[in-house]
Amino acid sequence: MGLRFYNTLTQRVEDFAPARDNTVRLYTCGPTVYSYAHIGNFRSFTFFDLLRRWLRARGFGLDHVMNITDVDDKIIRNAVAEGKSLADYTRAYTEAFLEDCAKLRLEQPERLVKATEHIPQMVHAIETLRDKGFTYDSDGSVYYRIQKFPEYGKLSHIDFGGMRAGARVDVDEYDKADARDFVLWKAPKEGEPFWETGIGPGRPGWHIECSVMAIEYLGETLDIHAGGIDLTFPHHENEIAQSEALTGKQFARFWMHAEFLLVEGQKMSKSLGNFYTLRDILERGYAPEAVRYLLASVPYRKALNFTFDGLKSAAVAIDRLRNFQLRLESGRFPENGGGAFLDRVAEARRGFEESLDDDLNTAEALAAVFEYVREANTAMDAGTFPAAAVAPARALLEEFDALFDVLKPTAAVDAISDTEIETLVTERSQSKKARNFARADAIRQELLDRGVVIEDTREGVRWKRK
Ligand code: AMP
Ligand code: ZN
């Protein structure tokens, strides 16, 4: 059986292949940069990363677009409260998000696109929807008339048929009880930032940005649209209503949604205050790869309960694999025998691949690897692990790590060598002599950040690792 995914739209597991030229056109909803992302958010982003990597492992090319929502209700509220422009307010959080992604080894999508850089295209789309009769104006805002789109509800599988026409909702986020005509373009309130456009002053609603950017970069029909489960309604339902009204074509063939990261049974979220940022966790001394492993280890359609014990177990699991890898690299193994062990590694590999093909069942894929590692360790202890099985065992670990990407320790990735330190120390002394104190200070800080302390003594500069 080949690759198959659960499709929220059809509520079935279906065979997957891209519609055209072996390239998967993938759109994922990115972060709203009003604050630091928490590890609940990163559960969704880790799922996108696994999806990318497994699609690639299965031989497909990728064209993946992710948006950065840099204008919405929360951003405007916070930016206005701090007296900052939208751009100034969102810059720091966008950078922090990308740094966190890098720490978690999340691949960058082929295109990372900002909502505020696509305002004219959104205005154009709203004009088109207006020409087609899908909108109405009220007090300077433009709304989508959901009664004009009889299929409204087909993704979240809710019958909205009996709804009151003309009732509308202005906020970007709302729940099913509030399913009404939603806002495409919002008139500015006193003191709020806005764009001056052909449809009047204002700013886009949240939903239109994804429709417009997805279609602009990926075409009218995406192969996969993915996001967190909470986006199914209203965000993705509204994206479908807008996009299909615009193009008359199916917007996305597959809809994939990641379940929540929970804390004591509740969704980890900003509003409940039960969240940890990646920074919080790293400060407690955990490695980013342990966080990555934990988030990846539970299949994306199962809720995952976050605990520090879980994080510790993740670190132990990674260690077990690193030790096995070390044994393979440095051990001495008998040249004779081995047929059965070659079969075993082939079986483990098949188990790994088939589990992932089955809607990315990461838990079963891990089980296949660990079962093999346990047996191989036992055989190594007994001196019966054959030399001929070393290369295929290493290939299995490589295949594992192309997806899970946890074997290389972060400390080693960030490590600074003695020669690098000496070079920076010399450059700092020269900068000081040249009275370039800013550069000298920056070097001291960089070294400090990388765990090296420098001291100026009468005998010269001394440095030591913290
Ligand atoms: P936001 O920055 O709030 O727009 O959220 C970014 C992404 O994180 C969305 O795809 C959400 O569905 C997802 N998300 C938010 N909270 C959680 C959670 N506790 N577990 C998993 N995903 C989440
Ligand atoms: Zn979106």
Side-chain angles (χ1 to χ4, degrees):
M1 283 212 278
L3 182 59
R4 54 215 186 273
F5 295 135
Y6 180 83
N7 187 348
T8 310
L9 186 65
T10 59
Q11 298 182 296
R12 274 199 298 271
V13 176
E14 295 173 20
D15 290 336
F16 176 80
R20 294 184 275 144
D21 62 27
N22 208 46
T23 298
V24 180
R25 288 163 179 83
L26 168 66
Y27 187 91
T28 59
C29 291
T32 305
V33 282
Y34 73 104
S35 174
Y36 293 110
H38 56 67
I39 56 164
N41 301 131
F42 281 114
R43 184 182 192 199
S44 289
F45 297 117
T46 303
F47 156 61
F48 304 155
D49 182 69
L50 295 171
L51 178 61
R52 279 180 62 88
R53 289 176 188 241
W54 193 246
L55 287 166
R56 186 183 310 113
R58 282 329 207 182
F60 300 122
L62 289 166
D63 193 356
H64 175 190
V65 175
M66 186 163 86
N67 63 306
I68 302 272
T69 300
D70 57 352
V71 52
D72 93 323
D73 293 341
K74 290 179 292 216
I75 292 172
I76 289 181
R77 190 187 58 212
N78 293 3
V80 169
E82 291 188 19
K84 288 188 177 157
S85 70
L86 286 185
D88 282 342
Y89 182 78
T90 54
R91 191 174 303 118
Y93 293 115
T94 307
E95 278 168 19
F97 172 73
L98 295 177
E99 273 171 34
D100 288 353
C101 285
K103 287 214 170 79
L104 287 173
R105 307 179 188 184
L106 306 180
E107 291 184 351
Q108 282 247 358
E110 279 61 36
R111 302 176 231 233
L112 204 56
V113 294
K114 292 186 180 165
T116 54
E117 291 173 3
H118 298 77
I119 303 290
Q121 292 94 316
M122 294 183 212
V123 168
H124 180 70
I126 295 168
E127 284 169 340
T128 308
L129 287 171
R130 176 187 279 172
D131 293 345
K132 293 184 171 206
F134 283 92
T135 74
Y136 59 90
D137 298 0
S138 177
D139 296 332
S141 293
V142 184
Y143 296 87
Y144 187 100
R145 193 191 298 279
I146 59 178
Q147 280 214 326
K148 268 284 281 184
F149 190 74
E151 291 173 86
Y152 194 80
K154 70 178 171 181
L155 180 70
S156 42
H157 303 280
I158 305 171
D159 181 5
F160 292 111
M163 251 171 16
R164 208 150 51 87
R168 35 183 198 274
V169 52
D170 280 294
V171 289
D172 284 328
E173 290 175 77
Y174 53 89
D175 62 24
K176 295 177 179 99
D178 254 328
R180 301 180 197 172
D181 293 341
F182 59 90
V183 70
L184 295 164
W185 186 255
K186 294 203 198 202
K189 296 205 186 74
E190 184 64 34
E192 282 185 355
F194 62 89
W195 282 262
E196 199 61 73
T197 72
I199 52 173
R203 49 124 173 163
W206 171 33
H207 317 293
I208 192 72
E209 69 172 90
C210 285
S211 289
V212 165
M213 295 191 287
I215 293 170
E216 165 148 345
Y217 295 106
L218 298 173
E220 295 179 334
T221 301
L222 318 174
D223 289 306
I224 305 176
H225 193 315
I229 187 91
D230 54 338
L231 300 187
T232 313
F233 184 87
H235 185 53
H236 290 163
E237 200 69 70
N238 292 351
E239 281 190 42
I240 291 177
Q242 297 163 155
S243 306
E244 299 191 358
L246 277 170
T247 68
K249 307 242 173 67
Q250 177 171 28
F251 180 43
R253 299 168 54 233
F254 280 74
W255 286 87
M256 296 176 73
H257 291 102
E259 262 293 345
F260 287 141
L261 185 70
L262 306 177
V263 184
E264 284 160 14
Q266 281 187 302
K267 174 189 175 189
M268 180 178 283
S269 72
K270 293 259 162 57
S271 53
L272 290 173
N274 61 350
F275 65 91
Y276 296 99
T277 63
L278 182 63
R279 284 135 211 267
D280 295 335
I281 291 191
L282 301 187
E283 268 169 26
R284 291 174 180 231
Y286 295 94
E289 58 269 30
V291 180
R292 177 177 168 90
Y293 184 99
L294 178 67
L295 297 179
S297 60
V298 173
Y300 75 96
R301 286 208 300 130
K302 278 213 177 97
L304 160 53
N305 204 31
F306 175 78
T307 61
F308 283 97
D309 279 345
L311 206 47
K312 285 182 193 126
S313 308
V316 170
I318 295 171
D319 271 345
R320 194 170 303 150
L321 295 175
R322 285 179 183 163
N323 289 337
F324 179 65
Q325 187 178 39
L326 199 65
R327 258 183 128 171
L328 285 173
E329 279 162 14
S330 53
R332 294 179 59 80
F333 305 103
E335 292 299 333
N336 56 341
F341 246 95
L342 290 178
D343 291 348
R344 244 331 256 124
V345 72
E347 188 192 327
R349 202 157 175 175
R350 205 163 42 241
F352 182 80
E353 292 173 359
E354 282 177 4
S355 304
L356 291 162
D357 278 350
D358 180 14
D359 197 25
L360 295 179
N361 191 335
T362 49
E364 294 220 336
L366 288 173
V369 171
F370 276 101
E371 221 171 280
Y372 170 76
V373 169
R374 188 171 47 77
E375 286 171 31
N377 272 325
T378 309
M380 284 179 187
D381 294 342
T384 56
F385 188 83
V390 170
R394 289 175 73 165
L396 172 68
L397 282 187
E398 253 169 54
E399 189 178 9
F400 157 84
D401 214 39
L403 184 74
F404 284 90
D405 200 356
V406 292
L407 291 182
K408 207 180 287 154
T410 294
V413 175
D414 289 347
I416 179 163
S417 67
D418 287 5
T419 22
E420 261 184 287
I421 298 175
E422 295 287 358
T423 311
L424 284 168
V425 167
T426 311
E427 196 198 329
R428 175 172 169 269
S429 303
Q430 286 164 352
S431 302
K432 276 171 73 169
K433 256 194 220 126
R435 307 193 63 77
N436 183 354
F437 298 111
R439 177 66 192 140
D441 285 347
I443 293 173
R444 173 193 280 276
Q445 189 58 48
E446 183 189 338
L447 286 168
L448 204 59
D449 290 346
R450 298 175 78 179
V452 180
V453 193
I454 43 182
E455 267 180 275
D456 294 305
T457 71
R458 234 178 278 170
E459 290 77 43
V461 186
R462 269 203 300 236
W463 59 264
K464 61 172 191 278
R465 292 176 196 273
K466 273 196 282 191

